[in-house]
Every structure is written in C-alpha cells, then in structure tokens.
C-alpha cells in the first residue's frame, strides 16, 4: 500500500472533489481470491494460446515478465511459461463488481461506472457529504480490501487528473492532487499518461521534441491545430490540468462490443456469417442486461496481415434486439470483406446509448437485403425468455443451428468506455 497525500488532508477541501477508483488487476485478483494457493504467483486470465487467444488481464506477478492485457496468449506464454492460466469467469467478476458498486453507493449517490472494474465518484464536501475526500477514499479502500481484493484511488478536483492519479501508485495506492496543483502534478508525466492520447499521436509529438505533459501544455493554439488538428486543443487543455466534465450517474458505458478471434484464418462466407450472428446475439443480450439500447452499429475486422478495418452505421432509433441490428451488421461486413480473404478477428459493437429501445422496424428505408423475419424485431417476451434460460443454465442452453458451426475462439470480454 502506498500513498501520496501531501497537505490536503490537514486542510479543508475547497470546491469539487472527484475520486477515480480502479480495481487492481481485477480478473486476476478475483482468481487469486478464489484460489488462495495462487496468491503471489503469476496468474493470467485469458484465451488459449493454441487458438489465438488474448490476455484479458494478469496479476502483477505476471506483469514483471512483460505480460499485459490484450497481448496474444502465445506471446504471454513465451514470456512467462510458469504462469497459471485461468479462463474468464464473467459471472463471478460481475458478482464482485456489484459488491464494489454497493460500497460506492454507500458513500455517495453520484457514481459513474466506466467499466466492470473502475468508476468515478463525486464526493464534493457540502454537496452530499461533509467528510474530507481523503477520509472517504480511505474508507472505500478498506471496504474493498475486506472483499479480498484491492483498489487504487486518485483524488482531484479534475476528472481526468483523478484518473491519472489512480494509476500513479498501483497497486493498492492512494494519490491525492490538491486543488490548484493539477498542472504541477501532470507536468513531469509522459504523454501517454493522458487519457485519450494514443500511441500514434504520442510518436508524432515526440518526433517534434514534445515528450512530457508540461511540453504539451505549453503548445500555443496555432501549433496545436497544425500538429494535432481540431481535436488537439482538448488534449492541451487537459494537459494543463483543466477539465470541466462532471460525474454523471449511469453514464459510464459509451459502447458495448464483443470480439471473436478465429483459431485459423477464416475465408468462407458461411463461417463468417455464423460468427457474426453469434457475436450480435451476445451483444444484444449484454445490452438487455444493462438496460441499454444503441443506435450506432460497428463491425471490426482484422485480416490475415494484421491490418484492421472498422465500419459503422447509425440507425434512426435505438434498439437492444439483435434481430434488428443483425441485418445491418451483415451489410457492413459485406462492404468491408469479400469471401476468400483471410479473416483473423471479427467484432461487433453498439454505441449511441441516448434513448430507450423501441419496438419498431428499424430497417425500413435503409436499402438492406435482409429477409423479412430478420428485419422484424422479435416479441420482447420471447427475447427475455431466451435470456432467462441462458442466465440460469448457461450460454449453450439455447443454441441456434448456425451457433453450432461457429469456430472455437478466444473471446475478448472488454466493454469499451
């Protein structure tokens, strides 16, 4: 356990206070919780290396060897041959995540989940609470530890700074950035510490001698536009420690997706469409579990040469029924891939969660070629009944013909935020 608090705790907190709570190596931590004999050992949660699986997450003991999330399982196996491998157990992770969220709800009504293992909390003194934010953060960490796992917490008046701070002393860390000290805290950090600044942008900036957030914060408006384009100004503003975004309840999930990595490159239309159908069904079920409905459908393809292509389309109204967005996903697939071209990975996602689902024919007037039964939403009662059976007896309790033909694959469980 490590802390960076400075003098904040000894003086009243003035203004907004935001916590970013991040569960440490969450999936691996749950596996070590349920298997005490694995504690202190390298644990990797993910897909089989023989079927092109990927690492979902790994314990800190495995990270010492260079293993990290989203790494091919085959590479992780080479780096850490002594690792203990565990398959993903989503139901168990969800159970612990709900217990953690209950802890958050005990502390403040303003909680914004970002994913299964992280959330923002507004603990501004005088708004709903009277205690010092540091005291609240310590209590949350203690309650989470009582569950058998750890979390790292960042505290700041600025949302993006709180997120960066939570990563500052991982694992089991507490980092507090006092109000008015945001730019000072950020200044020496590398560019990639800033959320939203990807590797390509970082390489471009580093090529110009811009290597720290202090360098980025010092860019003038003209240089910012020339180097980063129209969206660059937002990055520069955040590098200066300014971020006006508030914590919004139930506004954490921006998109929901499922990906399928094939054991061998797939080239036939039938196999690809079978996989697409299985993925859309899984996304639909997850949408209904979360009470979400989306408008924008995205299909992601990774080819044999590892190039990746993403195509998307926005529907006129939101839906949570895969029978409605499946035909559009098939059209998107056809626009980006042709039979005979080797496909390594396929993904389907939905975003644009701005309205509740509606039982309308979403595909009228879109010029699709789907059959009538595919274009019509199924009765909600039927959809819920299928979900209920699968929740009770497992994913394979109800399977359709094409599901039986889908190639075995390593599932990427991530839900984008």
């Amino acid at each position: 356990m490590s802390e960076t608090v400075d003098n904040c705790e000894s003086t009243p907190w003035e203004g907004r206070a935001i916590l970013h709570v991040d569960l440490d190596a969450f999936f691996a931590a749950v596996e070590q919780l349920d298997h005490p004999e694995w504690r202190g050992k390298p644990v990797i949660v993910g897909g089989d290396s023989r079927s092109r699986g990927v690492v979902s997450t790994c314990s800190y003991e495995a990270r010492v060897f260079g293993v990290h999330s989203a790494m091919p399982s085959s590479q992780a196996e080479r780096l850490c041959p002594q690792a203990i491998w565990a398959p993903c157990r989503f139901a168990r992770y969800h159970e612990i995540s709900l217990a953690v969220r209950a802890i958050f709800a005990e502390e403040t009504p303003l909680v914004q989940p970002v994913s299964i293992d992280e959330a923002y909390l507004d603990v501004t003194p005088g708004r709903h609470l009277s205690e010092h934010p540091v005291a609240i953060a310590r209590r949350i960490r203690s309650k989470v530890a009582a569950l058998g796992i750890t979390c790292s917490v960042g505290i700041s008046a600025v949302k993006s700074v709180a997120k960066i701070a939570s990563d500052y002393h991982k694992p089991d860390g507490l980092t507090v950035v006092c109000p008015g000290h945001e730019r000072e805290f950020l200044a020496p950090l590398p560019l990639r510490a800033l959320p939203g600044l990807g590797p390509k942008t970082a390489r471009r900036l580093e090529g110009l001698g811009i290597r720290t957030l202090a360098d980025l914060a010092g860019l003038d408006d003209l240089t910012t536009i020339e180097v980063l384009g129209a969206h660059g100004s937002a990055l520069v503003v955040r590098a200066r420690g300014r971020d006006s975004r508030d914590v919004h309840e139930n506004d954490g999930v921006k998109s929901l997706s499922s990906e399928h990595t094939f054991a061998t490159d797939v080239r036939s239309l039938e196999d690809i469409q079978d996989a697409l159908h299985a993925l859309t069904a899984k996304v639909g079920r997850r949408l209904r579990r979360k009470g979400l409905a989306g408008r924008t459908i995205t299909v992601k393809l990774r080819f044999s040469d590892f190039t990746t292509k993403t195509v998307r389309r926005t529907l006129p109204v939101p839906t949570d029924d895969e029978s409605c967005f499946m035909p559009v996903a098939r059209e998107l697939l056809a626009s980006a891939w042709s039979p005979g071209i080797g496909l390594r990975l396929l993904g389907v996602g939905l975003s644009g969660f701005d309205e509740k689902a509606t039982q309308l024919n979403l595909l009228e007037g879109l010029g699709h070629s789907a059959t009538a039964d595919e274009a019509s939403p199924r009765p909600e009662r039927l959809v819920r009944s299928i979900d209920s059976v699968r929740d009770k007896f497992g994913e394979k309790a109800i399977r359709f013909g094409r599901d039986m033909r889908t190639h075995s694959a390593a599932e990427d469980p991530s839900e984008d935020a």
Side-chain angles (χ1 to χ4, degrees):
M1 182 179 70
S2 56
E3 297 187 1
T4 299
V5 180
D6 295 328
N7 297 319
C8 293
E9 196 173 11
S10 60
T11 58
W13 188 283
E14 299 292 339
R16 189 171 61 166
I18 296 175
L19 308 186
H20 182 262
V21 183
D22 194 357
L23 303 179
D24 299 317
F26 180 49
F27 291 0
V30 174
E31 296 301 334
Q32 290 177 320
L33 170 65
D34 291 348
H35 303 86
E37 68 276 15
W38 292 359
R39 291 176 182 169
K41 298 179 180 180
V43 175
I44 300 175
V45 180
D48 192 328
S49 61
R50 290 166 294 182
S51 59
R52 288 185 177 176
V54 295
V55 174
S56 179
T57 193
C58 60
S59 67
Y60 286 91
E61 294 85 358
R63 297 182 189 192
V64 172
F65 294 89
V67 181
H68 58 76
S69 299
M71 172 181 283
S73 296
S74 56
Q75 183 181 355
E77 197 169 49
R78 288 194 300 271
L79 290 172
C80 189
Q82 71 273 41
I84 298 168
W85 287 77
C88 293
R89 297 186 297 147
F90 306 119
R92 176 59 171 155
Y93 308 147
H94 184 63
E95 177 186 356
I96 298 294
S97 179
L98 289 178
V100 173
R101 291 189 186 183
I103 292 172
F104 297 161
E106 291 172 355
E107 300 293 341
T108 175
L110 287 176
V111 179
Q112 179 183 338
V114 179
S115 65
I116 194 172
D117 60 353
E118 62 177 314
Y120 292 99
L121 289 71
D122 188 323
V123 294
T124 302
R127 186 170 187 180
H128 300 285
L129 312 161
S130 58
E131 285 185 271
H132 197 286
V134 175
I136 296 171
R138 286 207 172 106
R139 186 164 57 246
I140 287 173
R141 292 173 69 211
S142 177
K143 290 180 178 179
V144 170
L147 296 176
I149 59 176
T150 64
C151 65
S152 294
V153 182
I155 311 178
S156 175
V158 177
K159 197 173 187 181
S160 56
V161 175
K163 180 174 176 61
I164 295 171
S166 69
D167 198 44
Y168 198 69
H169 279 306
K170 273 187 160 291
D172 196 17
L174 172 63
T175 301
V176 182
V177 181
C178 301
H181 292 263
E182 294 84 11
R183 187 163 182 171
E184 176 186 346
F185 168 75
L186 296 175
L189 300 181
L191 296 173
R192 289 301 307 280
L194 189 67
L197 200 156
K200 291 183 179 179
T201 301
R203 287 194 294 269
R204 188 186 319 132
L205 290 169
E206 288 166 355
L208 298 173
I210 301 167
R211 293 182 171 82
T212 67
L213 294 185
D215 297 333
L216 182 60
L219 290 183
D220 59 70
D221 292 344
L222 182 60
T223 305
T224 297
I225 293 174
E226 288 179 352
V227 176
L228 299 174
H231 301 291
S233 58
L235 293 175
V236 172
V237 167
R238 290 181 188 174
R240 293 170 181 168
R242 300 204 302 269
D243 184 353
S244 61
R245 295 176 301 161
D246 291 320
V247 173
H248 298 288
E249 295 177 85
N250 302 319
D251 189 36
V253 179
K254 298 295 188 295
S255 64
L256 195 154
S257 63
S258 186
E259 294 183 355
H260 194 101
T261 303
F262 297 99
T264 58
D265 292 341
V266 178
R267 301 176 184 274
S268 79
L269 177 62
E270 183 180 47
D271 287 341
I272 296 297
Q273 288 189 341
D274 288 348
L276 187 73
H277 182 276
L279 291 170
T280 54
K282 183 158 288 188
V283 169
R285 188 173 175 217
R286 289 178 177 173
L287 287 168
R288 291 186 290 274
R289 278 179 177 173
K290 293 178 176 292
L292 298 172
R295 295 183 59 198
T296 300
I297 303 165
T298 300
V299 173
K300 174 183 175 182
L301 307 96
R302 181 167 297 142
F303 300 97
S304 299
D305 61 359
F306 286 88
T307 59
T308 302
K309 187 171 185 178
T310 302
V311 287
R312 58 178 54 87
R313 182 184 297 175
T314 299
L315 298 173
V317 289
T319 182
D320 62 1
D321 187 348
E322 62 269 20
S323 68
C324 292
F325 60 82
M326 171 63 183
V328 178
R330 291 179 66 173
E331 286 192 358
L332 291 171
L333 172 67
S335 72
W337 173 83
S338 298
I341 298 176
L343 203 61
R344 180 183 178 90
L345 176 146
L346 182 66
V348 176
L350 224 68
S351 58
F353 304 136
D354 56 347
E355 302 175 50
K356 292 185 178 180
T358 180
Q359 288 292 320
L360 297 176
N361 186 341
L362 305 183
L363 305 176
E364 289 181 355
L366 290 181
H368 64 91
S369 56
T371 60
D373 59 339
E374 287 176 321
S376 301
R378 299 169 297 177
E380 184 175 357
R381 189 173 176 182
L382 172 61
V383 174
R384 303 294 177 187
S385 296
I386 293 173
D387 287 348
S388 178
V389 171
R390 285 175 169 165
D391 284 340
K392 186 173 182 179
F393 299 105
E395 291 286 344
K396 297 181 181 179
I398 296 180
R399 301 180 74 186
F400 299 97
R402 71 179 71 214
D403 297 336
M404 306 296 291
R405 299 193 301 268
T406 302
H407 287 230
S408 62
E411 183 77 13
D412 178 358
S414 61
E415 294 179 5
D416 303 328

